[in-house]
Amino acid sequence: MLKTTVVCFLASYALAFACELSQLKRRHALTRIISLLLAVAGLVAHTFYLLHRSKQAHLPPLLSSAHDWLLVVAWLAVLVYLFVTLADGELAMGLVIWPVILTLVITSRFVTDSPSYRLDYHRNWKMLHASMLGLGTTFVLLGFVLSLLYLWQHRRLKQRLMANGAVKLPNLELIERLNRWAILAAVPFQTFGIATGFGLSIFAKGGELPMTWTDPVVIGGAITGALMGVLFVWLLTQKRSPGRQVAMLTAWACGFLLVTMLGLQMLTAAVGMRSIHGSAPATTPEAAVEGRAP
Amino acid sequence: MNLLALYCTHQTTPLAIRERLAFATPERLVAAYARLKDRFPGTESVVLSTCNRVELYVARPSDAEPLTPPLLAQFLSEFHDLPLDEFVGELRAATGSEAVRHLFEVISSLDSMVLGEPQIVNQVREAYRVAEAQGSCGSMAHALFQGAIRTSSRVRTETRLAEGKVSIASVAVGDFAKSIFDHFADKLVLVIGAGEMAEETLRYLKDEGVCDIVVVNRSPERAAKVAAEWGGRTAPWSDLNKWLGQADVIVSTTGADKPIVDAKLFKQVRTANPGRTAFILDLGAPRDFDTEVGKLDSVFLYDIDSLKKTCEENRKSRVREIDKARGIIDEETAKFMAEYYHRASGEVVSRLMQDWHGVSRDELDRLFNKLSHLNEKDREQIERTVERIVNKLLHPPLEALKVEAREGTPHGLINALKRLFGL
């Protein structure tokens, strides 16, 4: 199997983002094609990297480490970007989503990448827990990106600015609808993910790291999850709320969730804080050999 | 090149004369082609008649007597039954490469009233199609109009001449309303007042699929007329607030001397739908909506001044592309002329080569008959040598012809070659 490194796809994504930025000045079909090719090349390298890690750890990427979990979320975000870009190449989605993807990939270098050998028990439940949180986070990320697009377009329309020929933004009505769906999809996934996490901790068996109520990742996850839940209920109960208000709330809530999640993962890895997700030591020496975080 | 373009446009001629010279109906156009054929047999012709221009392109073989502007003006006078002295001073003429350049500029929309507008391409295509259907196109007209279509396509793809909208209604709908709403079929459009600009805006909104239109006007007759024209319904002026509360798109063009809707009133009428987005196009002067209305959340208010600025910026950005477009037109005109001249001298070149190679072939046959001991390989060597000699001898005159053809049909050189080599 082709062995790739994080730098390979990080460089591809960074160049794709640079191409998107250059489109701001003058739209050119060639730059667009190069940008797409770079994104696809990055995605292929990204996929090989995750497969390689999975093979080495004998675990699915979602479960092996916080490093791999973040890379899976970034991988999903690149897929969404490619899908949207192929559907409508004129949309300026890349300008907003690439910084988020790059942040996820860079952050993954600063969180623990040691595989945690704790899959002796409840393997399926753990897989469900990680998948739900991964999907929920991807939808949160989408909601964040869509909210930023909404606020950008809203500002342009309020200030009566001429549409920049090089940047095409979706209309407000469409972004509002997609944003609502992103949140409505994110919250159930998040909630179910958190709930299964609590369940797994309560029913933890011997040899597993038990959950403590002072675990920063758990506390942060619970608070941001609750915040998203409030937003979810508010969206469902409001008959019709101003789009800008929804976008602002979504941007803040999703932004807060992403920052908290990434920040806490980095913090636990940096200070070696005891956390069920952040800094669990590898239980076999081989597991620690590959790709230790700097 | 025996090509003449006779034209009058919005830049040179008043509408009163243009409309009398226009070929307004398809029947008139067909009759014009028939009359042109009768009057000038063996002439290729294409008539371009739009609301902004009337243009005649006529071409004849190089050796035929050229048509002159007075002859064509006389034709127009007779066909339209219009005294010559009433319009002859308004006509412009261009011949040869200038006529080619003029057509290329027209189709590229450099000569249009709205710079970069797209309709002219279809109008020229249609004129060419009709001329072809009437059997009025020959090799010259085909080459000319196909070259024109190619040029316009290059101008549109390689420059930003057609980018950005330049009328207030088109900017309002195309740049702003479409950035707010995803679709218009389920939107309620309220028209307050019934001015011309409101109707223009309705045209753009209709193109986007608007179905539900309510016209509120102080004069019910005028409201009924506009509503009937655009498939809407009317409502009494007293119901204005009710419709203000429900509408998604509001177009206002009343002649009121002060704003008829302020922020307080608007907020009040929208209490039932507080989050509902409203796109307001205030085309009144003075304005019909207080500027504070635009500060409300979910309200996007545009007045003439704010849109004028966008129109002006778009117009300026189009103007900045003119030089680039002219560069492409110059290039395409030069290419067209070079191809034309090359075709004109092509016949002489091919006859000259045929003759010389014919002579060399005859002499070689004679030689091979005498030298029957030569094997196939030797014969081939001799044939190649003779062919090279002929080509080398022909090279200087043909090269001179090629160089001359870049500047125009090299009649003098062609005649000299014909006489010198008995072609």
Side-chain angles (χ1 to χ4, degrees), chain A residues 25-27 153-154 156-158 160-163 170-174 177 239-245, chain B residues 160 175-176 178-183 187 275-276 294-302 306 310 313-314:
Chain A
K25 201 173 176 194
R26 179 88 169 99
R27 252 198 125 63
Q153 178 73 294
H154 187 276
R156 175 184 90 78
L157 292 167
K158 273 285 187 188
R160 298 149 180 174
L161 296 173
M162 192 168 60
N171 60 68
L172 293 182
E173 200 175 29
L174 178 68
R177 199 165 54 239
K239 190 182 163 202
R240 187 154 196 153
S241 45
R244 186 170 168 275
Q245 202 177 333
Chain B
R160 290 174 162 187
D175 276 5
F176 294 108
K178 278 174 77 179
S179 297
I180 296 168
F181 301 118
D182 193 31
H183 42 82
K187 302 292 180 291
R276 189 169 185 156
K295 290 179 186 165
L296 298 175
D297 231 356
S298 303
V299 174
F300 297 92
L301 172 64
Y302 300 90
S306 58
T310 306
E313 280 175 28
N314 284 344

Side-chain angles (χ1 to χ4, degrees), chain A residues 2-197:
Chain A
L2 188 67
K3 196 178 170 186
T4 56
T5 62
V6 173
V7 176
C8 287
F9 52 87
L10 180 64
S12 283
Y13 295 157
L15 285 172
F17 180 43
C19 286
E20 289 275 352
L21 283 175
S22 75
Q23 300 274 75
L24 275 175
K25 201 173 176 194
R26 179 88 169 99
R27 252 198 125 63
H28 203 284
L30 187 66
T31 325
R32 220 188 97 206
I33 292 167
I34 292 172
S35 169
L36 262 179
L37 288 176
L38 283 165
V40 172
L43 187 74
V44 171
H46 197 153
T47 311
F48 275 115
Y49 179 82
L50 288 174
L51 289 175
H52 179 71
R53 293 272 308 167
S54 173
K55 203 178 164 193
Q56 282 207 324
H58 302 292
L59 287 168
L62 273 170
L63 290 178
S64 56
S65 67
H67 168 82
D68 293 352
W69 187 85
L70 283 179
L71 288 181
V72 171
V73 175
W75 186 85
L76 286 172
V78 178
L79 268 191
V80 171
Y81 162 77
L82 282 174
F83 178 74
V84 173
T85 308
L86 289 173
D88 185 351
E90 304 283 301
L91 281 185
M93 192 177 186
L95 290 170
V96 185
I97 205 167
W98 278 125
V100 182
I101 292 169
L102 290 172
T103 307
L104 284 173
V105 177
I106 292 167
T107 309
S108 76
R109 298 283 290 163
F110 298 98
V111 298
T112 181
D113 62 351
S114 309
S116 53
Y117 277 70
R118 285 188 243 108
L119 279 187
D120 305 335
Y121 310 102
H122 311 304
R123 184 189 167 103
N124 289 342
W125 280 103
K126 283 175 182 171
M127 191 62 198
L128 187 68
H129 164 66
S131 312
M132 289 293 116
L133 283 179
L135 281 171
T137 308
T138 308
F139 279 111
V140 165
L141 196 143
L142 273 179
F144 180 65
V145 167
L146 287 164
S147 307
L148 293 183
L149 285 174
Y150 186 97
L151 294 172
W152 185 359
Q153 178 73 294
H154 187 276
R155 184 177 163 274
R156 175 184 90 78
L157 292 167
K158 273 285 187 188
Q159 296 189 353
R160 298 149 180 174
L161 296 173
M162 192 168 60
N164 181 344
V167 180
K168 185 185 159 194
L169 295 169
N171 60 68
L172 293 182
E173 200 175 29
L174 178 68
I175 311 177
E176 198 179 333
R177 199 165 54 239
L178 293 176
N179 192 15
R180 196 172 279 263
W181 278 111
I183 302 303
L184 294 185
V187 174
F189 282 125
Q190 284 272 326
T191 311
F192 198 63
I194 292 170
T196 47

Side-chain angles (χ1 to χ4, degrees), chain B residues 257-320:
Chain B
D257 53 4
K258 61 179 181 183
I260 55 170
V261 182
D262 59 18
K264 195 179 158 197
L265 172 68
F266 197 76
K267 221 171 169 178
Q268 195 185 322
V269 298
R270 306 283 287 190
T271 41
N273 302 299
R276 189 169 185 156
T277 303
F279 168 76
I280 304 172
L281 180 57
D282 185 351
L283 299 170
R287 285 178 283 206
D288 294 331
F289 282 74
D290 191 282
T291 48
E292 290 298 310
V293 176
K295 290 179 186 165
L296 298 175
D297 231 356
S298 303
V299 174
F300 297 92
L301 172 64
Y302 300 90
D303 56 33
I304 290 183
D305 278 357
S306 58
L307 297 171
K308 234 181 198 169
K309 201 177 140 205
T310 306
C311 294
E312 204 46 50
E313 280 175 28
N314 284 344
R315 209 167 284 137
K316 277 182 194 161
S317 77
R318 285 187 179 191
V319 168
R320 282 196 289 273

